Amino acid sequence: MGTRAGGRRTGPKCIAIVGPFASGKTTLLEAILARTGSIPRQNPVSSGNTVSDYSPEARAHAMSVEATVATTEFMGEQITFVDCPGSIEFSFEAEPVLAACDLAVVVAEADEKKIPALQLIMRKLDDLGVPRILFLNKVDKAIAGVRDTLKMLQPASSVPLLLRQIPLRKDGVVIGSIDLALERAYIYREYAESEVAEIPGDDKARELEARFSMLETLADHDDQLMEQLLEEIEPPKDAVFDDLAADLRDGAVTPVLIGTAEKGNGVLRLLKAIRHDAPDIEATRKRLGAPDGAATVAQVMKTIHTPHGGKLSVSRILSGQVVDGSELWLPGGDTAKVSGIYRMLGKDQVKLTIAKAGDTVALGKLDEVKTGQTLSSAKGGTKQLFEFEPPQPVFAFALRPKERKDEVKMSAAIQRLAEEDPSLSLRHNQDSAETVLSGHGEMHLRVVRERLEGKNQIPVEGHAPAVPYRETIRKSAQQRGRHKKQSGGHGQFGDVVIEIKPLPRGAGFQFTDTITGGVVPKTYIQSVETGVRDYLKSGPLGFPVVDVAVNLSDGSYHAVDSSDMAFQMAARLAMKEGMAACSPVLLEPVMKVEIVTPSDATSKIIALIPQRRGQILGYDARPDWPGWDVVEATMPQAEIGDLIIELRSATAGVASYRAVFDHMAELTGRLADEAMNANGKAA
C-alpha cells in the first residue's frame, strides 16, 4: 500500500469551480486568489468588485453570467481556476471548460432545495469523466450536522461522498475543522491561515468514528487497507493519503472538504488537497483521447471578445507548446495564426512568450476558431476531441434595433455574442420577417439584450415571436374568376373555374386540372397554379392556407389578350371569392412537450399544464435519474413561449423541457379573434 496513486502530480493544473446557483463559487475563487496573493484582499460578492463579477450584467443581477478564468500560483505550482456560472440558464458555459480541466471543485451547501441542481452538475461530471472534490461551504451557518448533510446530498452523487474533515465546535459555533487524514485540528482565523492545534479530548471519539468511516470507504478499493482494518492495525498516514489521491483520480469517491469561503476558512486545506491529489495534464489527455506524439494540441474552452484586444480563445495546451506566431490547424483543415499569448486573471491579462503543456492561456486573434474546437500543429489537424451539442432553446424573443441604421451593426454584435456563447441561437423567420433569438431562459436573453445595449451601444426592441398560425377550410366551393382589362392595344384576359376542397390535416396543398377541349391551354394551367399558390400565402383570415385541394375544371381564353399574368390574376380572384365561402378556420400549432422535473414538483407541473390548454399524456420516473420524473403532454405553441419561467419557478430553477411539433388544431372563439387582430385582420 502507498503506491496506488504514483505520487503527487506536478505541473500546471486547470480546476473548474462549479455548483448550484448562489452556493458561493465566486466567493471561493476570490478567497483562493487572496490566499495565494494574486489579489491584495478578498472582496465580498456584494461589492461587485470580485474577479468573476467584473461585467456590468453580473453586477446588475448579482450572479455570474459567464465563465471566468484566473491563473494563480500556490506553493510554487501554477493553477488555473475557471469559475463557472451556477444558474441553469448559463450552465452550458461549463461544458467546454469541464472537458479540458483536470479536476472540478463542486461548491455545495446544506440546502435540500438545491439537491436537484447539484445532481445535474454531478451527472455532467459523470458523463465527462471528470474527478471532483466537494467543498461543503457555509458550515458556520449550517444547522444540521455535517454527516447528516452528506446523507442528504449523497443521492446527488453516483459515487460515495467521502468526508475528509469534520467541524470543530465550541459552544455550538464552528471554530475550525478536524482533518481525518492528518488527525489534526485547525482553528479558523478570518481571512488568514488556520492555526494548527491538537484535537480536543472531547472531540477525539467523534474524530475516531468519522476517520474509521473514511477508511472503510477507502478499503473498498484497497485490499491491504481492508486487512489492516479487520486486524485493527493503524494504517500509515502516507498510505491513507495515497489511497485518497488514487480514489479521487479514479473517480471512485468524491472527497468532501468543509469551510466558509466568505471568511476564507478551509481554503488552504482545499488548495493543498488540489496540489497533492489532483490529476495532471497527462490524465486529462488520456481522458480526452488526445493523440500521442510531439505535436502541439490545444483544446478551446471559451471565446472572449475584448474591447481593445479583439478575439481571445481561452485554451488548454494538452501537449507540445505554443509560441507567438504559431500556426495551428483547425479540425476542418484550415489554419490560424496565434497573435498573442496571455495568462488570465479575470479581465486582466499578462502577455507571455510561450505556453507549454498543462497551461491554460488565451490565444489572440484566431478569428476562425470556435469554442470547443481542437487545434493542432500537426499538418491537416487532429480529430475533434470533444463534441458538444447545446441543449434545445427554451425561451425566445424577436429582436430588432430601434433604428434601422443599426441592423447590420446588431447582426455583427449578435454574431460575436454567439461566438462567446454557442448556446445562443439566431434565425430569421420568413413568415413573420422576424429575427428570433433563442436561449435557455428569460435571464439568459435579458443579459444578451443588456450587452447589445450596453457593451455594443445598440438600442433594441424585443417581443414574443409570432406564432406560425395557419388557416384551412371546412367546406368545398366552386368559383369562377375572370380578369379582363382593355386599355388600347393588347388587353388582358383570363377566365378560370376552380373547385376548392378541404384535405385531411397535414396533407398540405394539391393542385389538379380536369380541363377538356383546350378551354384553358396547357401553357396557362401552370399560370393558374402559380396564382393559386400566391393567394394561399395569406388567406381570408390573414394566414397561410394549408390542407386545401384546388382543381381547375373550366375556363376560357382569348387568342390575343390572354397571358401568363392574366391567368394568375384570374386564379387569385377565384380563390379570394371562393375561399370566403369555404368556412375558413384558424389552425394553431400544437407541440409535444417532454418536461423533466424533480419528483417532488411533479404534481405542480401536472397542475399547470391544463392552465396552458395542455393535455397530459402521462408521466413516469426518469430513467437512471433517482428523484426525477418525465412528464409528457401536448400544448399549443402559443402557450409555450414563457412556459420555462413557470417551470423553473416551481422547481427551484432546474426543470427544463423539449418541444417538437405534433399537429395543427382548430382555434376558434376569443383566442382566434385575438390572433387575427394581432395579425392585422378583423375577426
Side-chain angles (χ1 to χ4, degrees):
M1 194 168 63
T3 59
R4 290 179 59 220
R8 185 171 65 84
R9 300 292 190 259
T10 59
K13 294 185 174 67
C14 182
I15 311 298
I17 301 178
V18 295
F21 172 68
S23 56
K25 297 175 298 300
T26 299
T27 302
L28 177 61
L29 175 59
E30 194 77 2
I32 287 170
L33 297 177
R35 185 57 51 86
T36 57
S38 289
I39 57 176
R41 64 180 180 278
Q42 180 178 340
N43 292 306
V45 171
S46 58
S47 71
N49 293 319
T50 62
V51 169
S52 285
D53 289 342
Y54 62 83
S55 72
E57 300 79 27
R59 288 195 293 270
H61 302 295
M63 63 187 294
S64 296
V65 297
E66 61 185 318
T68 302
V69 183
T71 299
T72 188
E73 287 194 4
F74 177 67
M75 297 181 69
E77 293 189 14
Q78 180 181 296
I79 307 176
T80 298
F81 291 93
V82 187
D83 177 20
C84 300
S87 167
I88 194 173
E89 298 193 24
F90 301 95
S91 62
F92 184 71
E93 282 265 324
E95 285 210 28
V97 171
L98 290 169
C101 73
D102 302 318
L103 176 81
V105 172
V106 182
V107 184
E109 57 184 303
D111 187 344
E112 192 172 12
K113 294 179 181 177
K114 293 183 179 180
I115 291 177
L118 181 63
Q119 189 175 6
L120 290 175
I121 293 163
M122 293 296 209
R123 177 57 66 100
K124 179 58 63 179
L125 295 173
D126 285 344
D127 292 343
L128 296 173
V130 180
R132 82 266 349 214
I133 290 174
L134 190 142
F135 183 74
L136 187 58
N137 195 20
K138 308 177 186 179
V139 292
D140 59 330
K141 298 176 182 177
I143 298 174
V146 69
R147 281 184 282 183
D148 288 338
T149 298
L150 253 61
K151 288 179 183 177
M152 179 179 70
L153 299 180
Q154 182 61 63
S157 176
S158 62
V159 298
L161 298 177
L162 181 69
L163 191 61
R164 279 195 58 170
Q165 298 171 319
I166 58 173
L168 183 62
R169 290 184 171 87
K170 184 176 181 180
D171 299 329
V173 177
V174 175
I175 62 166
S177 67
I178 299 174
D179 190 296
L180 301 177
L182 285 170
E183 294 191 283
R184 191 179 296 164
Y186 292 88
I187 309 300
Y188 291 150
R189 295 191 297 175
E190 204 163 301
Y191 308 116
E193 185 176 343
S194 297
E195 178 185 338
V196 181
E198 292 294 324
I199 299 173
D202 293 345
D203 294 292
K204 191 63 180 175
R206 189 166 61 94
E207 182 269 335
L208 289 172
E209 181 186 353
R211 175 179 165 80
F212 186 78
S213 178
M214 178 188 76
L215 295 176
E216 276 189 315
T217 302
L218 293 176
D220 289 339
H221 308 281
D222 187 330
D223 293 339
Q224 188 173 349
L225 176 59
M226 178 64 76
E227 291 177 9
Q228 289 173 330
L229 294 182
L230 291 173
E231 295 173 11
E232 298 184 358
I233 298 172
E234 180 64 25
K237 283 188 173 60
D238 61 346
V240 173
F241 278 108
D242 181 76
D243 277 337
L244 285 166
D247 288 351
L248 166 66
R249 294 171 195 169
D250 291 343
V253 300
T254 297
V256 178
L257 302 176
I258 66 173
T260 299
E262 188 177 24
K263 298 176 181 178
N265 295 334
V267 172
L268 185 60
R269 300 309 310 160
L270 174 63
L271 283 167
K272 288 187 174 180
I274 291 170
R275 182 176 182 270
H276 185 275
D277 298 344
D280 59 0
I281 189 63
E282 187 62 34
T284 301
R285 287 182 68 254
K286 185 176 180 181
R287 173 166 56 82
L288 287 173
D292 294 326
T296 298
V297 177
Q299 183 70 26
V300 182
M301 306 165 75
K302 179 175 172 60
T303 300
I304 304 170
H305 285 276
T306 63
H308 306 295
K311 181 177 176 179
L312 297 176
S313 300
V314 179
S315 306
R316 185 84 193 280
I317 311 302
L318 299 178
S319 63
Q321 63 182 32
V322 177
V323 297
D324 202 356
S326 293
E327 188 173 69
L328 298 174
W329 291 77
L330 282 65
D334 295 328
T335 61
K337 189 175 182 179
V338 175
S339 181
I341 304 171
Y342 305 92
R343 180 175 295 157
M344 306 290 292
L345 185 67
K347 63 180 177 180
D348 297 326
Q349 304 151 22
V350 176
K351 192 162 186 177
L352 306 174
T353 57
I354 189 171
K356 298 182 179 181
D359 287 342
T360 303
V361 294
L363 304 178
K365 300 183 180 177
L366 300 178
D367 293 335
E368 302 303 317
V369 171
K370 299 178 181 178
T371 298
Q373 286 187 323
T374 305
L375 312 179
S376 176
S377 63
K379 188 173 182 179
T382 187
K383 65 177 181 178
Q384 181 70 30
L385 297 180
F386 171 64
E387 298 285 353
F388 65 89
E389 183 178 345
Q392 185 185 58
V394 294
F395 193 78
F397 59 61
L399 198 65
R400 63 171 179 264
K402 289 184 179 179
E403 299 183 28
R404 290 196 63 181
K405 66 180 179 66
D406 287 334
E407 285 183 355
V408 174
K409 187 179 176 183
M410 184 188 80
S411 179
I414 291 177
Q415 184 177 354
R416 289 192 299 271
L417 290 172
E419 281 191 35
E420 294 182 333
D421 181 0
S423 66
L424 284 176
S425 171
L426 186 69
R427 63 181 175 86
H428 183 72
N429 188 327
Q430 291 186 340
D431 285 348
S432 61
E434 293 175 330
T435 298
V436 179
L437 187 67
S438 303
H440 303 295
E442 188 269 340
M443 180 61 73
H444 187 203
L445 295 192
R446 185 191 300 182
V447 167
V448 173
R449 184 169 175 175
E450 289 170 355
R451 285 179 171 166
L452 286 173
E453 296 186 326
K455 183 178 179 180
N456 296 279
Q457 299 294 299
I458 305 171
V460 295
E461 296 175 329
H463 59 85
V467 175
Y469 293 106
R470 297 291 184 261
E471 58 181 276
T472 192
I473 56 175
R474 289 171 169 165
K475 298 194 307 185
S476 301
Q478 186 180 75
Q479 183 66 44
R480 177 179 292 273
R482 175 174 289 186
H483 176 68
K484 183 177 181 182
K485 191 173 183 181
Q486 196 71 39
S487 56
H490 286 304
Q492 298 179 34
F493 182 85
D495 176 35
V496 300
V497 176
I498 59 172
E499 299 164 346
I500 309 171
K501 296 180 180 179
L503 287 176
R505 194 76 67 241
F509 168 67
Q510 295 176 7
F511 180 83
T512 56
D513 77 271
T514 53
I515 294 298
T516 57
V519 292
V520 176
K522 289 184 178 179
T523 308
Y524 298 131
I525 291 176
Q526 181 63 48
S527 304
V528 175
E529 182 177 354
T530 300
V532 170
R533 287 183 179 276
D534 186 60
Y535 173 81
L536 293 178
K537 292 176 182 176
S538 180
L541 304 182
F543 297 92
V545 181
V546 296
D547 303 335
V548 168
V550 176
N551 180 62
L552 173 62
S553 60
D554 201 358
S556 62
Y557 75 103
H558 190 280
V560 176
D561 292 345
S562 288
S563 66
D564 169 68
M565 186 55 65
F567 272 94
Q568 286 190 41
M569 292 297 295
R572 283 197 287 266
L573 286 170
M575 288 295 294
K576 183 177 181 180
E577 295 176 12
M579 284 287 291
C582 291
S583 294
V585 63
L586 198 63
L587 296 175
E588 68 172 344
V590 176
M591 314 296 282
K592 186 174 182 180
V593 183
E594 185 181 270
I595 302 169
V596 291
T597 174
S599 301
D600 59 6
T602 300
S603 59
K604 296 179 186 176
I605 303 304
I606 289 174
L608 69 83
I609 288 173
Q611 298 170 14
R612 290 177 175 263
R613 297 191 289 131
Q615 291 189 337
I616 298 166
L617 301 178
Y619 70 94
D620 205 346
R622 189 179 185 186
D624 300 322
W625 279 76
W628 285 73
D629 288 336
V630 178
V631 180
E632 293 185 345
T634 56
M635 187 178 294
Q637 185 175 336
E639 302 289 343
I640 289 179
D642 61 352
L643 172 66
I644 193 63
I645 297 176
E646 197 165 2
L647 290 179
R648 297 233 167 105
S649 175
T651 60
V654 296
S656 194
Y657 73 87
R658 293 180 62 86
V660 295
F661 173 77
D662 192 70
H663 65 278
M664 300 295 288
E666 290 188 9
L667 181 65
T668 59
R670 176 181 59 82
L671 293 174
D673 293 343
E674 290 175 358
M676 288 185 284
N677 288 332
N679 196 46
K681 289 278 185 179

